[in-house]
């Protein structure tokens, strides 16, 4: 009787998650910050996770002390009482941060238990979007072409001074050309790079033992190959030092060069600064524009659930409307050459190195 059906196992997992939110909301929220929130593209830093965890604990204590309720029993009036009466919400900026936090936390709880009635849906209307929750940014197809042109420029001298810039180009090529997150680039091994007729890179999932095969834009390979040839690493793609190739380069130090390069890539409409997340979003947009569908977006972006792919597709459609673009026009001008992509299939780093 130990062989349970997949549907029963999935239902049991949802049940356990909902129990955790009810029994230990602090632990449940922390797990969401470290895993599911990262998969949704929030990419919280360790400092932000610590601040959010502290804010969540204050909300839990307020509910218990002043309302005599747990988070799963809180309603619209309880949340309004917290925002109106709690000393931590006196300033407008603090109130907005808490409003955003509660919306995200209760959305995660609802994800764990689809039958849960989310009180924030009545408390916060869609029209009252917090100031720090910005629409998802993308690059236009023509802007991607210019970015790839800069990334593939091999005129940089191959000396130690320019090595940081060459490494930054390879990192940005992984983000725009393969949809990598910065944390994924930091832990990717050279053995994850396929050298067969159909070249690919296996993207490891941060904090898990899983991975997926990324569909790489052809224009990303020159920057990636140049860095691999110069670094000579046989372990990590971005090692900490030539003498220490088993440990990744320091996260903050690695992206000093990337930040400077991203400033050069500021080709977005409206003069917005390009970020690593913008590059990753633009990779996902290229999949949609080439008509690969939601299954491909889920697989090649590394999403664990189809819902994340749907959210991404809706965000891209909203961006097209805000930009005054027609989807058909975007698709006809896209130059990603990914239409002949193979069907999505999960791979492991071990399989890719064989």
């Amino acid at each position: 009787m130990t062989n349970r059906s997949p549907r029963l196992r999935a239902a049991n997992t949802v049940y356990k998650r909902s129990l955790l939110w009810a029994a230990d909301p602090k632990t449940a929220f922390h797990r969401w910050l470290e895993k599911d929130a990262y998969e949704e593209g929030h990419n919280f830093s360790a400092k932000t996770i610590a601040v959010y965890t502290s804010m969540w604990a204050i909300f839990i204590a307020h509910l218990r002390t002043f309302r005599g309720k747990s988070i799963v029993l809180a309603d619209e009036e309880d949340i309004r009482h917290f925002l109106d009466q709690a000393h931590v919400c006196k300033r407008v900026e603090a109130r907005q941060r808490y409003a955003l936090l509660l919306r995200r936390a209760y959305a995660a709880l609802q994800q764990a238990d689809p039958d849960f009635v989310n009180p924030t849906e009545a408390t916060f209307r869609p029209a009252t979007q917090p100031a720090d929750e910005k629409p998802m940014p993308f690059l236009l197809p023509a802007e991607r072409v210019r970015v790839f042109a800069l990334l593939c420029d091999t005129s940089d001298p191959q000396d130690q001074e320019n090595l940081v810039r060459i490494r930054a180009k390879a990192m940005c090529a992984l983000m725009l050309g393969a949809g990598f997150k910065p944390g994924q680039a930091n832990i990717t091994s050279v053995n994850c790079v396929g050298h067969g007729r159909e070249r690919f890179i296996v993207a490891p999932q941060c904090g898990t033992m899983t991975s997926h095969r990324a569909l790489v834009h052809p224009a990303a390979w020159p920057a990636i190959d140049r860095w691999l040839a110069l670094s000579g690493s046989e372990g990590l793609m971005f090692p900490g030092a030539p003498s220490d190739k088993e440990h990744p380069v320091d996260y903050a130090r690695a992206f000093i060069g990337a930040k400077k390069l991203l400033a050069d890539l500021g080709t977005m409409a409206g003069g917005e600064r390009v970020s690593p997340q913008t590059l990753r979003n633009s990779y996902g947009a290229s999949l949609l524009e080439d008509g690969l569908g939601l299954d491909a977006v889920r697989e090649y972006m590394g999403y664990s659930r189809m819902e994340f792919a749907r959210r991404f597709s809706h965000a891209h459609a909203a961006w097209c409307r805000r930009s005054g673009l027609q989807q058909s026009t975007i698709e006809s001008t896209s130059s990603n050459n990914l239409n002949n992509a193979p069907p999505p299939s999960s791979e492991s780093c071990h399989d890719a190195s064989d």
Side-chain angles (χ1 to χ4, degrees):
M1 298 297 294
T2 57
N3 294 326
R4 299 178 178 178
S5 67
R7 181 176 296 180
L8 183 58
R9 288 197 299 269
N12 191 43
T13 300
V14 170
Y15 178 68
K16 288 181 178 179
R17 286 181 178 177
S18 62
L19 282 181
L20 181 61
W21 277 97
D24 191 354
K26 292 182 181 179
T27 300
F29 181 66
H30 192 75
R31 287 186 182 180
W32 174 79
L33 283 173
E34 289 191 327
K35 185 179 179 181
D36 290 340
Y38 190 85
E39 292 179 354
E40 293 179 37
H42 294 303
N43 199 17
F44 296 129
S45 65
K47 182 178 179 180
T48 300
I49 290 177
V51 171
Y52 272 10
T53 301
S54 177
M55 292 171 65
W56 182 243
I58 292 174
F59 173 69
I60 294 173
H62 180 93
L63 280 182
R64 185 185 304 115
T65 303
F66 297 99
R67 308 294 284 184
K69 292 184 178 181
S70 65
I71 64 163
V72 295
L73 297 178
D75 55 24
E76 176 185 353
E77 292 302 320
D78 298 320
I79 293 177
R80 291 192 183 280
H81 181 274
F82 171 76
L83 294 175
D84 293 338
Q85 302 297 327
H87 70 280
V88 293
C89 297
K90 295 301 181 183
R91 295 172 56 231
V92 175
E93 295 83 358
R95 182 186 174 93
Q96 289 179 340
R97 285 195 296 270
Y98 261 104
L100 177 59
L101 170 71
L102 294 177
R103 290 175 63 196
R104 287 173 169 172
Y106 273 102
L109 198 163
Q110 190 174 36
Q111 182 71 33
D113 183 2
D115 294 329
F116 175 75
V117 178
N118 187 344
T120 64
E121 291 180 352
T123 308
F124 310 114
R125 302 297 178 186
T128 59
Q129 177 176 305
D132 55 344
E133 188 174 325
K134 298 179 180 179
M136 189 177 290
F138 297 88
L139 291 173
L140 291 167
E143 293 168 341
R144 291 177 222 152
V145 171
R146 294 198 294 271
V147 170
F148 273 128
L150 190 149
L151 295 178
C152 296
D153 181 11
T154 59
S155 62
D156 302 314
Q158 298 183 12
D159 52 27
Q160 190 64 33
E161 183 177 349
N162 286 285
L163 200 61
V164 173
R165 183 174 176 84
I166 296 173
R167 178 181 64 193
K169 285 185 175 182
M171 286 185 170
C172 291
L174 282 177
M175 297 173 204
L176 181 60
F180 272 53
K181 304 171 186 175
Q184 288 176 307
N186 219 33
I187 62 175
T188 298
S189 166
V190 296
N191 291 329
C192 293
V193 181
H195 296 283
R197 185 174 62 179
E198 294 180 354
R199 299 195 66 186
F200 61 89
I201 297 179
V202 173
Q205 295 289 8
C206 303
T208 71
M209 298 298 291
T210 61
S211 60
H212 70 277
R213 179 180 289 198
L215 178 64
V216 184
H217 191 294
W221 283 116
I224 296 171
D225 288 337
R226 189 186 189 201
W227 167 251
L228 291 175
L230 290 177
S231 67
S233 176
E234 297 179 356
L236 292 170
M237 185 177 293
F238 302 103
S243 59
D244 183 18
K245 296 187 177 183
E246 294 184 358
H247 295 86
V249 63
D250 178 73
Y251 189 89
R253 185 162 59 87
F255 281 92
I256 291 177
K259 287 179 180 178
K260 294 179 180 178
L261 180 61
L262 289 171
D264 296 338
L265 303 182
T267 57
M268 290 185 65
E272 296 182 47
R273 178 181 291 272
V274 178
S275 68
Q277 189 62 42
T278 303
L279 299 182
R280 171 173 159 80
N281 292 347
S282 301
Y283 169 79
S286 69
L287 299 176
L288 292 172
E289 292 160 13
D290 285 333
L292 295 186
L294 290 180
D295 285 332
V297 172
R298 183 195 64 78
E299 178 65 24
Y300 295 136
M301 293 286 282
Y303 292 135
S304 61
R305 294 192 290 270
M306 182 61 73
E307 180 185 352
F308 295 150
R310 292 193 186 96
R311 291 181 186 176
F312 182 87
S313 177
H314 292 160
H316 178 253
W319 172 78
C320 289
R321 290 192 297 270
R322 290 195 308 272
S323 304
L325 303 170
Q326 295 293 331
Q327 189 69 23
S328 58
T329 304
I330 291 281
E331 292 172 0
S332 64
T333 58
S334 177
S335 59
N336 296 289
N337 298 321
L338 298 177
N339 289 297
N340 297 322
S345 60
S346 298
E347 300 287 344
S348 67
C349 279
H350 178 72
D351 294 334
S353 61
D354 291 340

